[in-house]
Amino acid sequence: MSTYRIFLDTADADEIKDVVSTGLIDGIATNSQKIAQSRKSYQELIEEIRRHFDGPIAVQSVGHTTEEICRRARELNQMDDLLAVKVTANKAGLAAVKIMVSEGIRTNATLIFNPTQGLLATLAGAQFLSPFIGRARMAGYDGVETIRKIRQLLNAFDLKTNLVAASIKDVEQVIDVIVAGADSVAVPFHVFEAMCEHPMTDKGLEDFMANDRKIPRERPVEVGV
């Protein structure tokens, strides 16, 4: 299983270009809502992302039946073979994961709220699992505990996948899910920005800059003729 740590959760090309420039992003996570907001087709968005990023991109295959999900997943996979096709981890989706994996299509089981959804998706062969954290908390559930229990289930069966904590709303959740056992986190642009910053860091830098201006500058070295 390949190692991925930080995914950027966005379909905004400007945000992708900005964060990819740091060299700290291992993947891009999108969904139908984000792509609809971009007002681009899947193909247009993928081509735009590829101008800045050559790693895995997660895109959503939707459908109510296994057949619908697989059909859409095959269409998406033909656009770019580095896509990880996101599939809802319900009964129809889990069956679709099993089929897609057998066809060599990367899969990301998503909208996971029950630890057994993560277990079954891994048994089906999903390369990525995406339990939702912030959305679970807003509905009164503990998404961090779901991550912890999925990790325990995977360890009990000695199963390997990439456990990606998704629907992250703040830096504290990033810390909590990693401590709970997540392999990766998918963070929106504003959370990535917040991960890089702290007001005391800003204050300290200004102090350093002020003191640096007081230090005599070295004379240029004269080169002999």
Side-chain angles (χ1 to χ4, degrees):
M1 180 61 57
S2 298
T3 299
Y4 303 99
R5 295 305 186 206
I6 307 294
F7 287 73
L8 184 64
D9 188 2
T10 185
D12 185 298
D14 291 334
E15 293 179 352
I16 292 168
K17 181 179 180 181
D18 184 306
V19 178
V20 167
S21 70
T22 67
L24 298 173
I25 293 299
D26 301 305
I28 305 296
T30 72
N31 59 34
S32 303
Q33 179 182 8
K34 290 180 173 65
I35 295 178
Q37 290 171 344
S38 77
R39 299 185 180 277
K40 297 180 177 69
S41 69
Y42 279 86
Q43 186 70 59
E44 288 171 332
L45 181 67
I46 292 167
E47 289 174 356
E48 189 166 23
I49 293 173
R50 283 290 175 239
R51 289 197 282 271
H52 310 294
F53 182 72
D54 58 6
I57 305 169
V59 295
Q60 186 83 39
S61 175
V62 296
H64 290 296
T65 68
T66 299
E67 292 74 19
E68 289 173 348
I69 296 166
C70 288
R71 181 169 60 251
R72 182 58 175 151
R74 293 179 188 116
E75 293 171 355
L76 292 168
N77 188 63
Q78 288 178 351
M79 297 178 190
D80 188 305
D81 59 9
L82 262 183
L83 296 182
V85 179
K86 297 170 75 173
V87 178
T88 301
N90 57 13
K91 186 176 180 181
L94 292 167
V97 167
K98 186 79 172 179
I99 294 169
M100 288 187 288
V101 168
S102 71
E103 296 177 3
I105 299 175
R106 294 185 181 202
T107 58
N108 181 334
T110 189
L111 283 172
I112 292 174
F113 295 93
N114 180 340
T116 55
Q117 291 175 294
L119 174 64
L120 292 173
T122 307
L123 290 171
Q127 290 92 336
F128 301 93
L129 307 181
S130 291
F132 277 33
I133 309 306
R135 192 177 299 192
R137 179 173 293 179
M138 288 188 289
Y141 298 96
D142 189 344
V144 175
E145 184 63 18
T146 298
I147 291 280
R148 185 175 291 110
K149 288 182 177 178
I150 291 175
R151 174 54 63 200
Q152 292 171 344
L153 292 174
L154 298 181
N155 290 347
F157 277 15
D158 193 26
L159 295 171
K160 305 298 181 186
T161 187
N162 194 296
L163 180 54
V164 186
S167 184
I168 297 292
K169 305 303 183 184
D170 55 47
V171 172
E172 191 66 26
Q173 288 183 356
V174 173
I175 298 167
D176 289 344
V177 295
I178 293 172
V179 172
D183 297 301
S184 309
V185 288
V187 297
F189 181 76
H190 75 276
V191 173
F192 181 85
E193 292 274 277
M195 289 169 66
C196 301
E197 306 293 344
H198 192 283
M200 293 187 68
T201 303
D202 296 338
K203 175 64 167 59
L205 176 58
E206 290 307 311
D207 291 343
F208 288 159
M209 295 289 290
N211 284 303
D212 185 73
R213 287 190 288 271
K214 300 174 185 177
I215 299 172
R217 291 300 183 246
E218 296 79 3
R219 295 178 180 177
V221 176
E222 295 183 4
V223 179
V225 177

